[in-house]
Structures are given as structure tokens and as C-alpha cells.
């Protein structure tokens, strides 16, 4: 509050920034093989160059330079048979992704590269085979049955590890099957209720395994079961739309960040968690007439309630005062970095001559910053608005010009928080009122 710049007092002298140059190319094709068979196939490639000096106070500072490339392909078949009197839609297919990255880390010498501290190379391969069927049952019930088989393999090496005889890490996670079942009951043409149960599997990402603190050889995948039920619909001649759902997600081996004494972020498995939430949205179409001067006016409200807790999380730490290892038990504590209440209020306005306005008021509740739940950050409210003009000329040329403002009320807030930051370094203040603008030109085939 007194001086937001003291959160990162050396950011200017260390030239802390991230510069990325990214190219993405892709192509997809839809094949209508017959009346009941359709195939969608796509391939893509990505290329990225990173120049990333960073620093965080008078501790450890780094400068990363890296290049990465990736490619992948996905194919999906859709079969739409009629089984007896039941209309069915069956989707099945597969996807493969490959990524390779080389990165060198140096000491950050006032925005220039210093001594070489890390020479990383890692590749990742991920594959998935999936199938899902939707069946229109009697009594206006839709049944969904599906599942996926997931394959993941990582290969890391750090060529600058003076204290290690084995700088390579190869992780080949066991294939995991993730099933899901869902039901939708159409109460009327405008109202429906839905429920689902699904098992999820999430291996750690490459940047969670390889961090500023080195290669983590002990990180395990997350897994969990999600239960969800909801109610959605429209009324008042399709003007009032709403969607309410609640869920319970039981997660094992949750992955959360920590920061060590050198201000290096690393990740660890934090036992099991219970994540209960409620999500609600309501909108009203005051105007929805393409021929009118004001062609669209839609106010809307969305709300999220989060009650995320550690159900079983114990970890060991070294107590320097007693010079012994002690056990910390965070079971029952709230998961840090999760706001209990989030509220968004806004409106969308469009005109038939191309002018539009979008305004949003965002409230984020107070949240804890550490596993002990002894530190928290205050709630805040942000106001943002964007105005623009978009038009299509001669059916092929699209033009859009826009300008906007974020944090129009000059609120004091943290644009993100460092969970479990070492030495109380949790805070990363966000900017005051700031402005942006842009121009977009498109050619429509």
C-alpha cells in the first residue's frame, strides 16, 4: 500500500521481463464420409523463442534463453446410428502431441547474461485414445458414456549439474484410463437438469518438473473424481437465461507451488484435497433485434463459491530453533490462492452500425496465501470496459478497431500472489488504471 514497487525493488536494474516470439500453424479438414459417418482431422505446429531475464530481490536472479517446437495431430470419427428407436452419436479417435525445448539459464547480471547455471533439454510425448457415446433415451433423457486412455512420457536432462552423477530424468507414466458418465433430463424445451461423474488424471507439466530450483524427481500425477449436478434453462420468451451447477472434486496428490530461500519456485504434491464449489450465471436480453439501432443489450451476472480444503496433508520440515525435524499437519486448512467468493457483473451493448461496448465489474474475495492459513490478501474490485467498432465490407473484408481500460477505479490489488512465498514475499501488486487499443483486419474467404 505504501510503495507497490518494493515488491520487486530490483526489477528495473535486472531488466525483469519476458519476451516471446511465437508462430503457430495448423490445418484441419472435415470429411463427410456418408450420411452417418463424419471425420475431423487436424495437424498443427508451434515454434517459440524466449528471452527471459528475471529477478526477485537480493536473493537468486536468473536469465533464461530458450527455443521450443511442438507438433501434433488429432482425428475424430462421429458415427450417428439409430439403435432400435434410440438416436445415438458416437465419437472416437486419438490425439498425439510432441514438444521439445532447449533452455539455458544464466546469472542475471543487471539485465545481461552472467555465469551459466543450467543447460536444459526436455521433450514430452502425450497420446490419448478416446471414445464417447450419447444416447437419446425415452422420457427426454440423454445418456453420455465415455472414457479416454492417456499416455505421457517426459525426458529431461541438465548438462550443468556439478553435484549429480545422473543429470537425466526419464519419466514414463503408466497408461491411465479416465471414464465419465453423464445424464441430462429435459424437463421442457427450455429447462434441463444434468448430472455427471468423472475420473480425471493430470501428470505434472514440464515446467512444474523443471523449475528454477532444478529438476524435481519426486513429482507424481494428480488424480481425482468429480461429481457435478446442475440446472439450466431459459424463460420469459428466451430472454432470461440461467445456469446453476454445484460440484465436489476429490483430488489426490494435488500439485501446488512453493518458494525456497533463494526465491526459486518449485512444486510439490500436497496430499489430498476436497474442492466444493457452486457456479451460477444469469443474463437478460433487454434488446435482441439486428435491425434496431441498439441491436443487443444484455446485462449479466456470474457468481462462484469455492470451498477448497486439504483433507489429508502432512509434511516434514526442519525446525532450526529446536534443531530437529518436525511434522506440519495442514489437514482441514483452506487451500491458499483460492478466493471463497468471486462475483462478476457486466453488460454487453451492440449497435447495428458496428459500435459495441463491453463493461465488467469483478469482485474477488479475501484469500489465504500459505498452507498454514496465517497470511491472507484483502479482497478487491476491478472495473474494466472496452469499446470498439467492427464491420464487414463487401462480404470479405473485416475491420475492428477497439480501445479499453482496466482497473478504471485505481484499486489496490495483487495481479497474482506467490503461494507459500519464502520470507513473506507473497505480493505482486497490479497496475493502476491502464489503457490499451488495437486494430484488426481480416479477409473472409
Amino acid at each position: 500500500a505504501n510503495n507497490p514497487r518494493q515488491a520487486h525493488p530490483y526489477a528495473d536494474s535486472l531488466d525483469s521481463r519476458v519476451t516471446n516470439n511465437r508462430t503457430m500453424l495448423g490445418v484441419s479438414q472435415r470429411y463427410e464420409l456418408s450420411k452417418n459417418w463424419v471425420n475431423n482431422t487436424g495437424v498443427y505446429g508451434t515454434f517459440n523463442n524466449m528471452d527471459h531475464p528475471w529477478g526477485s530481490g537480493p536473493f537468486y536472479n536468473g536469465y533464461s534463453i530458450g527455443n521450443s517446437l511442438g507438433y501434433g495431430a488429432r482425428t475424430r470419427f462421429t458415427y450417428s446410428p439409430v439403435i432400435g428407436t434410440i438416436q445415438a452419436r458416437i465419437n472416437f479417435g486419438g490425439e498425439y502431441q510432441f514438444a521439445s525445448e532447449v533452455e539455458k539459464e544464466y546469472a542475471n547480471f543487471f539485465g545481461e547474461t552472467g555465469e551459466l547455471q543450467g543447460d536444459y533439454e526436455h521433450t514430452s510425448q502425450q497420446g490419448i485414445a478416446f471414445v464417447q457415446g450419447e444416447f437419446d433415451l425415452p422420457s427426454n433423457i440423454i445418456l453420455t458414456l465415455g472414457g479416454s486412455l492417456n499416455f505421457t512420457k517426459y525426458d529431461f536432462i541438465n548438462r550443468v549439474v556439478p553435484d549429480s552423477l545422473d543429470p537425466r530424468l526419464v519419466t514414463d507414466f503408466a497408461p491411465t484410463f479416465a471414464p465419465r458418465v453423464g445424464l441430462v433430463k429435459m424437463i421442457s424445451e427450455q429447462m434441463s437438469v444434468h448430472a455427471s461423474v468423472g475420473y480425471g488424471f493430470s501428470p505434472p507439466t514440464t515446467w512444474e518438473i523443471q523449475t528454477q530450483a532444478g529438476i524435481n524427481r519426486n513429482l507424481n500425477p494428480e488424480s481425482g473424481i468429480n461429481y457435478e449436478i446442475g440446472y439450466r434453462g431459459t424463460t420469459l420468451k428466451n430472454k432470461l437465461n440461467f445456469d446453476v451447477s454445484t460440484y465436489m472434486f476429490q483430488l489426490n496428490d494435488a500439485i501446488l507451488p512453493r518458494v525456497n530461500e533463494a526465491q526459486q519456485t518449485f512444486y510439490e504434491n500436497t496430499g489430498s484435497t476436497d474442492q466444493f464449489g457452486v457456479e451460477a450465471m444469469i443474463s437478460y436480453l433487454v434488446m435482441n433485434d439486428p435491425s434496431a439501432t441498439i441491436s443487443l443489450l444484455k446485462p449479466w451476472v456470474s457468481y462462484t463459491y469455492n470451498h477448497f480444503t486439504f483433507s489429508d496433508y502432512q509434511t516434514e520440515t526442519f525446525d532450526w530453533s529446536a534443531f530437529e525435524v518436525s511434522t506440519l499437519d495442514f489437514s482441514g486448512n483452506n487451500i491458499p490462492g483460492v478466493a471463497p467468493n468471486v462475483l462478476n457483473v457486466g453488460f454487453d451493448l451492440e449497435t447495428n452500425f458496428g459500435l459495441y461496448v463491453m463493461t465488467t465489474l469483478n469482485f474477488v474475495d479475501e484469500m489465504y496465501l500459505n498452507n498454514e492459513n496465517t497470511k491472507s490478501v484483502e479482497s478487491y474490485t476491478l472495473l474494466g470496459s472496452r469499446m470498439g467498432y467492427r464491420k464487414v465490407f463487401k462480404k470479405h473484408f473485416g475491420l475492428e478497431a477497439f480501445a479499453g481500460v482496466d482497473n478504471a477505479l485505481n484499486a489496490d490489488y495483487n495481479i497474482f500472489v506467490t503461494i507459500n512465498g519464502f520470507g513473506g514475499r507473497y505480493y505482486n501488486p497490479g497496475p493502476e488504471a491502464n489503457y490499451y487499443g488495437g486494430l484488426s483486419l481480416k479477409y473472409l474467404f
Side-chain angles (χ1 to χ4, degrees):
N2 296 329
N3 178 14
R5 289 184 177 270
Q6 68 182 336
H8 295 280
Y10 302 99
D12 290 338
S13 62
L14 294 172
D15 190 25
S16 295
R17 58 181 169 83
V18 177
T19 301
N20 276 309
N21 296 303
R22 176 172 296 177
T23 302
M24 303 177 67
L25 300 172
V27 61
S28 63
Q29 177 68 41
R30 172 185 170 91
Y31 302 92
E32 295 187 1
L33 305 176
S34 68
K35 179 180 178 181
N36 295 331
W37 282 93
V38 176
N39 173 263
N40 290 273
T41 297
V43 296
Y44 68 88
T46 62
F47 311 90
N48 188 63
N49 172 262
M50 177 187 70
D51 188 311
H52 177 196
W54 55 271
S56 189
F59 298 98
Y60 178 91
N61 306 296
Y63 195 125
S64 300
I65 299 177
N67 294 283
S68 65
L69 65 89
Y71 55 83
R74 176 183 176 90
T75 186
R76 174 171 59 89
F77 290 89
T78 301
Y79 177 47
S80 304
V82 177
I83 306 173
T85 60
I86 297 175
Q87 176 66 58
R89 293 167 297 279
I90 301 173
N91 293 279
F92 62 93
E95 182 173 357
Y96 174 77
Q97 298 179 4
F98 174 86
S100 176
E101 181 174 354
V102 292
E103 178 182 352
K104 291 189 176 182
E105 266 191 13
Y106 304 86
N108 187 349
F109 186 70
F110 298 101
E112 302 293 334
T113 56
E115 180 183 359
L116 181 65
Q117 297 177 334
D119 187 355
Y120 298 100
E121 180 180 349
H122 61 74
T123 62
S124 65
Q125 299 182 69
Q126 295 178 293
I128 179 175
F130 60 88
V131 61
Q132 177 172 292
E134 295 182 357
F135 307 92
D136 297 338
L137 303 180
S139 302
N140 291 321
I141 295 176
I142 301 175
L143 171 65
T144 300
L145 298 172
S148 62
L149 188 61
N150 303 268
F151 307 86
T152 305
K153 182 178 180 179
Y154 295 150
D155 189 339
F156 292 85
I157 187 170
N158 183 4
R159 295 185 174 86
V160 182
V161 187
D163 58 348
S164 174
L165 298 177
D166 183 18
R168 181 179 291 274
L169 170 66
V170 179
T171 302
D172 195 351
F173 296 105
T176 302
F177 180 68
R180 179 181 180 272
V181 59
L183 281 173
V184 176
K185 166 63 177 176
M186 301 296 298
I187 300 175
S188 67
E189 292 185 359
Q190 290 79 31
M191 307 286 180
S192 66
V193 294
H194 60 90
S196 65
V197 179
Y199 172 82
F201 164 82
S202 177
T205 61
T206 55
W207 52 267
E208 288 171 337
I209 292 180
Q210 179 204 306
T211 67
Q212 302 159 1
I215 294 176
N216 189 337
R217 301 175 182 274
N218 302 310
L219 208 54
N220 298 314
E222 298 177 318
S223 62
I225 299 178
N226 186 65
Y227 307 87
E228 183 171 340
I229 187 169
Y231 181 51
R232 65 169 62 103
T234 180
T235 187
L236 300 180
K237 298 181 179 180
N238 296 327
K239 289 189 173 183
L240 183 68
N241 296 274
F242 62 90
D243 192 339
V244 181
S245 62
T246 182
Y247 64 88
M248 170 61 78
F249 185 33
Q250 297 173 333
L251 184 66
N252 298 314
D253 290 324
I255 298 175
L256 286 180
R258 293 186 71 87
V259 179
N260 63 18
E261 64 277 6
Q263 290 297 295
Q264 299 167 323
T265 299
F266 66 98
Y267 294 84
E268 64 178 3
N269 294 110
T270 56
S272 58
T273 68
D274 288 333
Q275 303 179 16
F276 171 77
V278 177
E279 299 175 339
M281 183 279 297
I282 187 170
S283 65
Y284 185 76
L285 285 170
V286 179
M287 295 287 295
N288 189 23
D289 184 358
S291 63
T293 301
I294 299 179
S295 56
L296 175 71
L297 177 58
K298 183 177 72 173
W300 54 267
V301 178
S302 67
Y303 169 74
T304 302
Y305 170 74
N306 303 302
H307 183 63
F308 291 10
T309 59
F310 294 114
S311 57
D312 181 17
Y313 178 27
Q314 298 181 12
T315 186
E316 293 184 345
T317 186
F318 189 81
D319 186 349
W320 288 97
S321 61
F323 208 74
E324 63 181 8
V325 176
S326 60
T327 300
L328 299 177
D329 189 354
F330 301 125
S331 303
N333 286 8
N334 290 301
I335 298 177
V338 180
N341 298 282
V342 179
L343 177 68
N344 292 283
V345 181
F347 72 87
D348 301 333
L349 183 149
E350 297 180 7
T351 65
N352 63 357
F353 55 86
L355 184 69
Y356 68 86
V357 179
M358 297 181 292
T359 299
T360 302
L361 187 72
N362 171 229
F363 169 80
V364 178
D365 204 359
E366 179 181 12
M367 71 181 77
Y368 288 110
L369 299 173
N370 56 3
N371 294 340
E372 295 86 350
N373 288 178
T374 57
K375 297 293 183 179
S376 62
V377 63
E378 295 179 353
S379 62
Y380 60 87
T381 301
L382 300 177
L383 176 64
S385 187
R386 170 171 165 157
M387 177 182 293
Y389 174 82
R390 55 188 170 210
K391 202 73 174 178
V392 175
F393 299 94
K394 296 184 178 180
K395 298 182 180 181
H396 292 290
F397 297 94
L399 168 68
E400 180 177 5
F402 60 89
V405 56
D406 287 326
N407 194 14
L409 302 177
N410 279 326
D412 292 329
Y413 77 105
N414 283 276
I415 194 166
F416 70 94
V417 293
T418 302
I419 305 302
N420 297 310
F422 180 82
R425 296 180 63 86
Y426 307 109
Y427 308 102
N428 299 275
E432 298 178 346
N434 55 98
Y435 308 88
Y436 62 91
L439 180 68
S440 173
L441 297 174
K442 296 181 179 180
Y443 182 78
L444 309 174
F445 292 95

